[in-house]
Amino acid sequence: MALNAAASLAEDAAFFNQEMHRPLKSQDDYDRVIQEFLGYIQARGDELPSADNIKSYLGHKINKGYLGPKNTNKKYKSATILQMSSKIKTYCLQHGIEISADAFKAIQKPIARAKEKEEVDNAEELVGEEVMKFLRKPDVGLVGVEKLQLKQDKAVAAAAFGAGLRMGENKALKWKDVIVRTDEIMMNVLREKTTANDEIWPITRGPLFDAIIDYMQSFKGSKEPNDFFYRRLFSKRVAKGDTGKGKEYFSAVAKDVAAWNGHTDLSRYTHHSFRRGMASTLNDAGATTADIQNQGSWKNAKTAHHYIGKSLAKKRKNSERLQQMMMGKRINMEQPAQGVIMID
């Protein structure tokens, strides 16, 4: 019990240190969440925050939503509610209110699941042939930083698509995590949502391998083991003053890939588009659900099925099959869709 308590305290201290040094949108935003939460628990008759009233408050936000600027009732996104829970956790730690890390994890777990489902539902997929087309984008006329920027963009896309990385996992990569071997790149990935803390993820020789190697060989800056793998801050697409979270940059790469493939509405292309596209491409190439689950590092097959069910390429192929059958043609229903990258 003592060891568990010590581990919990250490985890809380690490979170508090990270949260207090994380730039908030504004102090007003933090104050607004805390004041509203404290008002909510006082109305319940509670004196102090507890796991029960925090869960109740966040549940109220999920169910009731808020009044939008045009007087339309809009629901909070799960990502926003997750941020609220982090602010409340910071407040509790700052004021010595004892709520265990395990209790907060239990509160945040269903919200995190809902957040991932929203990301899947809202993100358009970028499938293998689209990623491949971007990796072939020429760098003619580009010099210096602009040329390296394109190489980095390609490496971001290759790692996200090839290893099915979530944005947080991709941006957390450091030089020590990317190990080059003769026939593969071994990526030591800090997985966000699995029981294992780290996973070794191979990217074998091919266009994804080549894109990452090209970036590594072109990069002339510091490559100390604990340096971040991507030099995000030289990107003009990252807000001035960003200390490295890089959310804008990583989503911008997906939008670039989509634009290069002729898509005009880029609003639903985010870093998650690579992860969705990976699952769809593997499914269309005939991979089993277990293979796709393993590649995406999902805990259960249900989540993997949710990604597979969104495969536009599969739906198009099935539409072709239905119409061929209507015309009396015999077809092989196990035939995979054409024109996709096969991933070993």
Side-chain angles (χ1 to χ4, degrees), residues 8-9 11-12 51 89 93 97-107:
S8 180
L9 287 173
E11 187 174 347
D12 285 345
K89 182 176 181 179
L93 291 170
I97 300 168
E98 293 186 7
I99 301 175
S100 71
D102 287 342
F104 265 104
K105 283 181 181 178
I107 292 169

Side-chain angles (χ1 to χ4, degrees), residues 70-324:
K70 296 182 180 180
N71 294 326
T72 56
N73 194 42
K74 297 172 64 179
K75 285 189 175 182
Y76 279 106
K77 292 181 179 179
S78 297
T80 303
I81 297 175
L82 213 54
Q83 291 171 3
M84 289 178 179
S85 69
S86 293
K87 289 177 173 61
I88 293 170
K89 182 176 181 179
T90 301
Y91 175 85
C92 291
L93 291 170
Q94 192 175 23
H95 291 80
I97 300 168
E98 293 186 7
I99 301 175
S100 71
D102 287 342
F104 265 104
K105 283 181 181 178
I107 292 169
Q108 292 178 325
K109 189 173 181 179
I111 303 171
R113 284 178 179 171
K115 174 177 176 288
E116 182 162 6
K117 184 177 183 300
E118 286 174 4
E119 289 173 342
V120 176
D121 291 340
N122 293 331
E124 293 286 355
E125 64 187 11
L126 288 166
V127 296
E129 56 190 331
E130 293 176 311
V131 175
M132 186 68 192
K133 185 176 179 180
F134 181 74
L135 296 184
R136 289 172 173 165
K137 182 178 180 180
D139 58 7
V140 178
L142 299 179
V143 295
V145 169
E146 290 183 346
K147 189 171 184 177
L148 180 60
Q149 179 71 67
L150 178 58
K151 292 180 184 295
Q152 175 176 286
D153 291 352
K154 291 180 179 180
V156 167
F161 183 81
L165 300 186
R166 300 173 180 89
M167 184 178 68
E169 296 164 353
N170 206 359
K171 72 185 182 68
L173 283 177
K174 297 182 178 180
W175 282 93
K176 67 180 181 181
D177 298 325
V178 184
I179 304 162
V180 179
R181 295 180 178 175
T182 304
D183 295 318
E184 62 186 5
I185 296 171
M186 302 297 287
M187 307 184 80
N188 188 22
V189 179
L190 182 63
R191 287 292 188 184
E192 293 182 329
K193 298 177 182 178
T194 56
T195 52
N197 291 328
D198 301 288
E199 291 186 16
I200 302 297
W201 221 253
I203 294 182
T204 56
R205 274 196 177 274
L208 304 173
F209 174 98
D210 293 341
I212 296 172
I213 292 295
D214 189 30
Y215 165 67
M216 295 177 74
Q217 292 177 342
S218 301
F219 188 82
K220 304 301 181 184
S222 173
K223 298 180 183 179
E224 292 298 318
N226 285 313
D227 287 343
F228 282 111
F229 187 61
Y230 304 115
R231 185 187 170 191
R232 307 178 204 105
L233 295 184
F234 66 53
S235 172
K236 295 178 182 178
R237 293 169 299 196
V238 178
K240 185 178 180 181
D242 190 332
T243 57
K245 290 182 71 176
K247 180 178 180 180
E248 298 88 349
Y249 165 65
F250 283 91
S251 288
V253 172
K255 296 182 192 303
D256 281 356
V257 176
W260 188 250
N261 279 275
H263 299 291
T264 54
D265 182 4
L266 307 180
S267 60
R268 293 183 63 185
Y269 288 94
T270 67
H271 186 276
H272 211 74
S273 297
F274 295 116
R275 187 167 165 80
R276 267 198 59 190
M278 176 274 295
S280 293
T281 301
L282 282 175
N283 180 62
D284 296 336
T288 66
T289 302
D291 288 336
I292 297 170
Q293 180 184 343
N294 180 55
Q295 186 72 8
S297 192
W298 288 294
K299 289 182 180 179
N300 57 69
K302 183 179 179 180
T303 307
H305 270 296
H306 186 66
Y307 279 71
I308 295 168
K310 297 291 182 179
S311 172
L312 290 177
K314 193 73 170 180
K315 290 173 182 176
R316 291 189 184 105
K317 191 64 183 177
N318 286 338
S319 177
E320 293 173 10
R321 287 166 173 161
L322 284 171
Q323 293 174 85
Q324 287 171 0

